[in-house]
Amino acid sequence: MKSYNNNYLIFLLWALPGLVSADELNQSNTAWVLTSTAFVLFMTLPGLSLFYAGLVRSKNALSVLMQCFAITCVVSLLWLAGVYSLIFSDGGEWQEIIGGTTKFFMPQLVISSMVGDIPETVFFMFQMTFGIITPALIVGAYAERMKFSAMLWFSSLWLVIVYMPICHWIWGGGWLADLGVMDFAGGIVIHVNAGIASLVAALVIGNRKGFPTTAMPPHNMTMVVTGAGMLWVGWFGFNGGSGLRADGSAGMAIIVTHIGAAAGSVTWMFIEWVRFGKPSVLGIVTGMVAGLGTITPASGFVGPAGALVIGITAGVVCFCATQIVKRKLKIDDSLDVFPVHGVGGIVGSLLTGVFAATSMGGLGLAEGVSIFDQVKVQALAVLVTIGWSALFSYLILKVLELTIGLRVTNDEEEQGLDIVMHEETGYHNL
């Protein structure tokens, strides 16, 4: 009987918030966003970490894992210090441009604090995971050659100067939100933003020693596929949780996310099969990431048929972009961040304005807004993001280059960042 009473007390304590504040707290929505938060963090640690680490050479695998881990820690602290506040709090007369300072270090945050019908603690953590993965994506552009100190400074400054204002403009009630931009889970805020920064970073830091004449294949494809699978699963929280509700719209977001990923994978696989005679494992997982990145802005607005078209388009366009960037332009965006995430984000953001319309099987545009009108707004947001990200990513990188330096020496690059930066190796038999 004592055990039963204790269990009953625990149940009452758990249920009490719902009993006391049933008109405010939605426990289903809260549980779903909590779960989605774990999914999105899982995308960076360990999903993206393993995906990127497997793609580089063995002498740099540990450095990539370290970079993703360190970015997770640093961004979390900056988020608490003020980034969250400047995105999601009331900026008063400056609201169109930036949020307020009242939530620096979250002094007023208590268990009962709410955002809509979920606790602010949950919203704070969910949005933090998006802030973490965005600069982590850029690691793929400068992998195998940037100093660890420069990486930390760049990621921190980029979060504050580039990610924070764009995120506020679109998700925090800023001027682009007022124009009606549709970016459900981060096609513009995350993928276009990080993709453009990656292209700029690759250009500023320069190619790896030996690129493009020396082959630099992934050192561990098993690790790559494992990380890719984690990204696919984690993306259900990324897109499915972005509506902050456990309802049919979350279910639809997950369906179209899955269809987009599958269509991107199969399309990329068949293109390689036709062009090179054999489908590659690297190709099918890259097509998956392209499909996921491209469907992300549309995931809360389109139906399955629209997702199929978007996924196929992602496979074709992003494949061509990788060939142009690497083979034609000879830009060493090491892990194809710009051609996959940047180009995919641009394509997906524009197609959102098309396939969100009910006439195209979507969930509908705003009243009185035509497909043409919405595509214009989407294009404006994409162009603004490209300009802002390119300009300030360049300035941050040049300042760091002139002060602490961006990249390791040729000898250090030859030796590998695992030993040079961390005095450790990922594999003891090397």
Side-chain angles (χ1 to χ4, degrees), residues 142-159:
Y142 52 72
E144 303 194 288
R145 59 203 189 277
M146 183 179 273
K147 293 179 179 179
F148 183 68
S149 58
M151 182 280 303
L152 285 176
W153 275 108
F154 172 73
S155 299
S156 301
L157 292 170
W158 190 88
L159 178 78

Side-chain angles (χ1 to χ4, degrees), residues 20-39:
V20 173
S21 307
D23 58 330
E24 296 181 4
L25 178 68
N26 186 304
Q27 293 181 343
S28 297
N29 292 344
T30 300
W32 170 234
V33 180
L34 279 169
T35 303
S36 297
T37 300
F39 273 140

Side-chain angles (χ1 to χ4, degrees), residues 25-261:
L25 178 68
N26 186 304
Q27 293 181 343
S28 297
N29 292 344
T30 300
W32 170 234
V33 180
L34 279 169
T35 303
S36 297
T37 300
F39 273 140
V40 183
L41 184 59
F42 183 73
M43 289 174 66
T44 304
L45 300 174
L48 186 70
S49 304
L50 291 175
F51 184 68
Y52 276 0
L55 287 170
V56 299
R57 290 167 289 182
S58 57
K59 62 185 178 181
N60 297 306
L62 199 62
S63 71
V64 172
L65 294 171
M66 177 66 166
Q67 288 169 359
C68 291
F69 205 99
I71 286 172
T72 300
C73 297
V74 171
V75 169
S76 299
L77 299 179
L78 291 172
W79 196 258
L80 172 65
V83 172
Y84 171 80
S85 181
L86 290 169
I87 294 174
F88 292 109
S89 68
D90 185 6
E93 61 180 318
W94 295 99
Q95 177 64 20
E96 293 286 300
I97 306 301
I98 199 69
T101 61
T102 56
K103 295 186 178 180
F104 278 16
F105 294 100
M106 303 301 288
Q108 307 300 321
L109 183 66
V110 294
I111 294 175
S112 59
S113 300
M114 301 291 292
V115 172
D117 61 4
I118 66 171
E120 187 171 15
T121 52
V122 178
F123 182 77
F124 175 93
M125 275 299 302
F126 181 67
Q127 293 296 339
M128 179 197 292
T129 59
F130 285 78
I132 288 168
I133 199 170
T134 311
L137 288 174
I138 308 173
V139 167
Y142 52 72
E144 303 194 288
R145 59 203 189 277
M146 183 179 273
K147 293 179 179 179
F148 183 68
S149 58
M151 182 280 303
L152 285 176
W153 275 108
F154 172 73
S155 299
S156 301
L157 292 170
W158 190 88
L159 178 78
V160 174
I161 297 172
V162 181
Y163 179 83
M164 183 174 70
I166 291 174
C167 187
H168 175 76
W169 296 343
I170 295 177
W171 287 345
W175 67 279
L176 287 174
D178 289 345
L179 292 177
V181 172
M182 301 175 75
D183 185 9
F184 190 72
I188 302 171
V189 174
I190 295 171
H191 295 286
V192 175
N193 204 1
I196 295 299
S198 297
L199 179 62
V200 172
L203 289 169
V204 172
I205 198 169
N207 296 345
R208 288 169 291 180
K209 184 180 179 181
F211 180 90
T213 56
T214 303
M216 301 177 185
H219 88 280
N220 190 327
M221 279 304 302
T222 302
M223 185 182 294
V224 171
V225 177
T226 301
M230 293 174 176
L231 284 171
W232 192 335
V233 173
W235 227 289
F236 291 156
F238 196 84
N239 290 353
S242 289
L244 306 179
R245 301 187 65 82
D247 57 11
S249 63
M252 181 66 81
I254 289 176
I255 289 175
V256 300
T257 297
H258 190 72
I259 296 300

Side-chain angles (χ1 to χ4, degrees), residues 102-430:
T102 56
K103 295 186 178 180
F104 278 16
F105 294 100
M106 303 301 288
Q108 307 300 321
L109 183 66
V110 294
I111 294 175
S112 59
S113 300
M114 301 291 292
V115 172
D117 61 4
I118 66 171
E120 187 171 15
T121 52
V122 178
F123 182 77
F124 175 93
M125 275 299 302
F126 181 67
Q127 293 296 339
M128 179 197 292
T129 59
F130 285 78
I132 288 168
I133 199 170
T134 311
L137 288 174
I138 308 173
V139 167
Y142 52 72
E144 303 194 288
R145 59 203 189 277
M146 183 179 273
K147 293 179 179 179
F148 183 68
S149 58
M151 182 280 303
L152 285 176
W153 275 108
F154 172 73
S155 299
S156 301
L157 292 170
W158 190 88
L159 178 78
V160 174
I161 297 172
V162 181
Y163 179 83
M164 183 174 70
I166 291 174
C167 187
H168 175 76
W169 296 343
I170 295 177
W171 287 345
W175 67 279
L176 287 174
D178 289 345
L179 292 177
V181 172
M182 301 175 75
D183 185 9
F184 190 72
I188 302 171
V189 174
I190 295 171
H191 295 286
V192 175
N193 204 1
I196 295 299
S198 297
L199 179 62
V200 172
L203 289 169
V204 172
I205 198 169
N207 296 345
R208 288 169 291 180
K209 184 180 179 181
F211 180 90
T213 56
T214 303
M216 301 177 185
H219 88 280
N220 190 327
M221 279 304 302
T222 302
M223 185 182 294
V224 171
V225 177
T226 301
M230 293 174 176
L231 284 171
W232 192 335
V233 173
W235 227 289
F236 291 156
F238 196 84
N239 290 353
S242 289
L244 306 179
R245 301 187 65 82
D247 57 11
S249 63
M252 181 66 81
I254 289 176
I255 289 175
V256 300
T257 297
H258 190 72
I259 296 300
S265 290
V266 171
T267 301
W268 196 297
M269 178 186 73
F270 276 113
I271 291 174
E272 282 195 338
W273 207 338
V274 170
R275 181 166 182 179
F276 304 120
K278 294 181 181 179
S280 73
V281 176
L282 179 58
I284 197 170
V285 298
T286 306
M288 176 214 73
V289 176
L292 288 169
T294 307
I295 194 62
T296 289
S299 56
F301 308 120
V302 303
L308 179 63
V309 176
I310 290 172
I312 292 171
T313 305
V316 173
V317 175
C318 293
F319 175 84
C320 293
T322 59
Q323 302 304 302
I324 292 170
V325 170
K326 283 276 179 73
R327 296 177 183 270
K328 301 293 185 182
L329 301 179
K330 294 181 171 55
I331 299 171
D332 190 14
D333 180 351
S334 308
L335 309 183
D336 296 324
V337 185
F338 170 71
V340 172
H341 294 276
V343 172
I346 292 169
V347 171
S349 297
L350 297 177
L351 291 181
T352 297
V354 176
F355 290 101
T358 53
S359 60
M360 301 298 289
L363 306 185
L365 301 172
E367 185 177 353
V369 176
S370 68
I371 291 176
F372 180 71
D373 292 335
Q374 189 62 51
V375 171
K376 283 197 302 183
V377 173
Q378 299 298 109
L380 173 63
V382 167
L383 290 173
V384 168
T385 301
I386 289 173
W388 187 273
S389 183
L391 174 62
F392 286 100
S393 296
Y394 177 80
L395 291 176
I396 293 168
L397 288 163
K398 294 303 289 187
V399 168
L400 292 176
E401 184 179 49
L402 294 172
T403 51
I404 64 174
L406 283 178
R407 67 182 292 166
V408 298
T409 66
N410 285 339
D411 288 342
E412 290 173 331
E413 185 177 341
E414 186 70 30
Q415 189 176 1
L417 270 60
D418 289 2
I419 286 291
V420 169
M421 293 286 102
H422 309 295
E423 201 62 40
E424 297 172 296
T425 61
Y427 303 92
H428 292 296
N429 61 338
L430 296 182

